Amino acid sequence: PDRPVFLVNADGHGAWVNSRALELAGVAADAPDPVDGRIERDPDGGPTGALHEGAMDLVRRHLPPSGPDRQVEAHRAGQQHLHELGVTAWSDAWVTPAELAAYQTLADVGELTARVTAALWWERDRGLEQIDDLVAQRGATHGERLSAGTVKIMADGVVENGTAAMLEPYLDPDGRPTTNVGLRHLDPELLTAAVVELDRLGFQVHVHAIGDAAVRDALDAFAAARRAGGSGRRHTIAHLQVVAAEDLPRFAELGVIANAQPYWAQFEPQMTELTLPLLGPVRGDLQYPWAGLLAHGAVLAFGSDWPVSTADPLRGVEVAITRTDPEHRGAQPFLPEQRIGLHDALVAATRGSAFVNGTADSTGTVAPGMAADLAVLDGRLVGRDAVAPADLTVALTMVDGVIVHEAP
């Protein structure tokens, strides 16, 4: 009890802290909720120690910072883990200046063996004035395998704590509508202004949008950028947990990439105990509409959101085609009408991801003239001896013809 404690939830959208941490941060019963977060309170109004979204920063700002050597060490370890899973390139969707400096250090000493798209972090407590800083960060980034031409904007939170922005209110435990429609981390007008200006400056914009209102806000912002004479960047919306049916065609119409995390589309305790009761059956059936997006012509790119969930692309591919947990293959599939075929899932995990990262002209397909960015599996995905994707492991990973991982 005498040591301050800050424990981040697995999804990064909440934290648990103890009384000592609240005391040091000055978070008492009269502390107001920040505009982009919520302090959970007991019946008397006192903070319980659960902090959602932006409320985490009330305590997080007091944490001792990680030094640059620690940042480089973390990037090096993460890179090796991803190579072991056959990953040759990725988009890092939350890159602070310190983290970008660590990537640059690896690139400068020749230790960046992957292709990295660094998504610069949009600070929610600042406005358009931060764009000059983002331009400067992009300009200072160099190296064949490191780019910083993307900006990541968090439009909302997550369903499980009632902070994803919804078109209609959440339900209470008895199935009755509440007054809570979640949190918009950016006012729609500011989101639109930011997207239009970033697009004008040649940035790709990567929007986190979980709720159907946040998805619509992002699509509206990208539509405004097109009307303003958009630059044609490969803008993308990530997660897409709840998407209104009328918004599915807009991805192809606007050229917005559907940035999907296929591993999440399954029945598991978080879905059954937390998500579905808050959404109800009608909205619950709108989740993770991979087949619907493809049917309307959208470009689908698969990612993992690691470390929120496994970084293993093969596990994600299997869930995309089965909508069940690979650990429980006989279980009830989650919205089986949204399953997609193995070919489409592999394309989303390879060519689709290369496209969203801006490298589809040289990576993402196995063809003459393309870079030798390859993952060799220990069995077959197709044919008579085919093995379920999640049962395969990566025997070898290669980037530009150089082996970066080889299994024992």
Side-chain angles (χ1 to χ4, degrees), residues 209-250:
I210 291 279
D212 50 8
V215 173
R216 183 165 295 176
D217 286 349
L219 290 168
D220 289 347
F222 291 133
R226 284 178 69 94
R227 290 194 299 271
S231 65
R233 298 293 297 175
R234 300 166 308 281
H235 301 308
T236 182
I237 304 176
H239 309 323
L240 304 168
Q241 182 165 349
V242 183
V243 184
E246 56 268 38
D247 286 328
L248 293 175
R250 299 182 69 196

Side-chain angles (χ1 to χ4, degrees), residues 122-282:
W122 181 273
E123 298 180 32
R124 299 196 297 262
D125 58 350
R126 301 176 66 193
L128 299 179
E129 76 282 355
Q130 68 185 287
I131 292 179
D132 288 344
D133 295 338
L134 299 172
V135 171
Q137 289 180 62
R138 179 178 63 179
T141 304
H142 55 272
E144 181 183 352
R145 293 180 178 170
L146 179 62
S147 65
T150 300
V151 174
K152 167 69 174 292
I153 298 177
M154 296 280 289
D156 67 344
V158 292
V159 171
E160 295 78 23
N161 64 12
T163 61
M166 306 301 298
L167 296 172
E168 300 293 336
Y170 288 97
L171 305 182
D172 67 14
D174 295 320
R176 296 185 297 254
T178 67
T179 59
N180 177 30
V181 291
L183 289 174
R184 281 180 163 96
H185 287 330
L186 268 70
D187 180 86
E189 287 75 19
L190 176 57
L191 175 62
T192 296
V195 167
V196 169
E197 181 61 10
L198 290 168
D199 177 87
R200 186 186 71 81
L201 292 170
F203 281 101
Q204 176 194 44
V205 182
H206 174 141
V207 178
H208 160 115
I210 291 279
D212 50 8
V215 173
R216 183 165 295 176
D217 286 349
L219 290 168
D220 289 347
F222 291 133
R226 284 178 69 94
R227 290 194 299 271
S231 65
R233 298 293 297 175
R234 300 166 308 281
H235 301 308
T236 182
I237 304 176
H239 309 323
L240 304 168
Q241 182 165 349
V242 183
V243 184
E246 56 268 38
D247 286 328
L248 293 175
R250 299 182 69 196
F251 285 82
E253 293 167 2
L254 296 171
V256 174
I257 303 163
N259 188 329
Q261 286 61 56
Y263 189 75
W264 298 350
Q266 56 173 284
F267 279 119
E268 38 76 35
Q270 182 165 292
M271 176 63 70
T272 56
E273 298 171 17
L274 298 178
T275 302
L276 290 174
L278 287 177
L279 294 179
V282 176

Side-chain angles (χ1 to χ4, degrees), residues 43-390:
D44 296 326
T48 66
L51 305 174
H52 300 297
E53 302 296 335
M56 290 188 288
D57 290 335
L58 300 173
V59 175
R60 181 160 49 193
R61 64 171 66 111
H62 298 280
L63 298 180
S66 295
D69 291 344
R70 180 77 174 194
Q71 292 279 4
V72 171
E73 178 189 355
H75 282 5
R76 189 183 289 117
Q79 174 175 254
Q80 186 55 41
H81 175 66
L82 294 173
H83 284 334
E84 290 169 1
L85 296 172
V87 178
T88 61
W90 60 82
S91 172
D92 188 336
W94 183 345
V95 179
T96 64
E99 290 158 351
L100 183 61
Y103 273 126
Q104 189 64 67
T105 295
L106 286 178
D108 290 344
V109 299
E111 291 188 38
L112 188 63
T113 52
R115 304 181 196 277
V116 178
T117 300
L120 307 178
W121 183 244
W122 181 273
E123 298 180 32
R124 299 196 297 262
D125 58 350
R126 301 176 66 193
L128 299 179
E129 76 282 355
Q130 68 185 287
I131 292 179
D132 288 344
D133 295 338
L134 299 172
V135 171
Q137 289 180 62
R138 179 178 63 179
T141 304
H142 55 272
E144 181 183 352
R145 293 180 178 170
L146 179 62
S147 65
T150 300
V151 174
K152 167 69 174 292
I153 298 177
M154 296 280 289
D156 67 344
V158 292
V159 171
E160 295 78 23
N161 64 12
T163 61
M166 306 301 298
L167 296 172
E168 300 293 336
Y170 288 97
L171 305 182
D172 67 14
D174 295 320
R176 296 185 297 254
T178 67
T179 59
N180 177 30
V181 291
L183 289 174
R184 281 180 163 96
H185 287 330
L186 268 70
D187 180 86
E189 287 75 19
L190 176 57
L191 175 62
T192 296
V195 167
V196 169
E197 181 61 10
L198 290 168
D199 177 87
R200 186 186 71 81
L201 292 170
F203 281 101
Q204 176 194 44
V205 182
H206 174 141
V207 178
H208 160 115
I210 291 279
D212 50 8
V215 173
R216 183 165 295 176
D217 286 349
L219 290 168
D220 289 347
F222 291 133
R226 284 178 69 94
R227 290 194 299 271
S231 65
R233 298 293 297 175
R234 300 166 308 281
H235 301 308
T236 182
I237 304 176
H239 309 323
L240 304 168
Q241 182 165 349
V242 183
V243 184
E246 56 268 38
D247 286 328
L248 293 175
R250 299 182 69 196
F251 285 82
E253 293 167 2
L254 296 171
V256 174
I257 303 163
N259 188 329
Q261 286 61 56
Y263 189 75
W264 298 350
Q266 56 173 284
F267 279 119
E268 38 76 35
Q270 182 165 292
M271 176 63 70
T272 56
E273 298 171 17
L274 298 178
T275 302
L276 290 174
L278 287 177
L279 294 179
V282 176
R283 284 183 301 188
D285 287 349
L286 301 177
Q287 296 183 84
Y288 306 125
W290 313 149
L293 285 162
L294 284 178
H296 284 93
V299 173
L300 193 61
F302 278 170
S304 68
D305 210 40
W306 179 71
V308 169
S309 51
T310 177
D312 188 346
L314 293 168
R315 298 185 74 82
V317 164
E318 179 162 332
V319 175
I321 64 180
T322 65
R323 306 284 285 204
T324 58
D325 182 355
E327 301 296 327
H328 303 93
R329 289 184 174 128
Q332 176 186 358
F334 178 67
L335 303 178
E337 66 275 12
Q338 292 298 338
R339 289 182 290 208
I340 64 176
L342 174 62
H343 174 79
D344 286 333
L346 290 173
V347 168
T350 54
R351 191 167 65 206
S353 295
F355 182 71
V356 78
N357 287 344
T359 62
D361 59 341
S362 58
T363 72
T365 55
V366 181
M370 302 294 277
D373 291 9
L374 305 171
V376 180
L377 307 181
D378 67 346
R380 295 181 180 275
L381 276 168
V382 296
R384 189 166 50 187
D385 301 323
V387 177

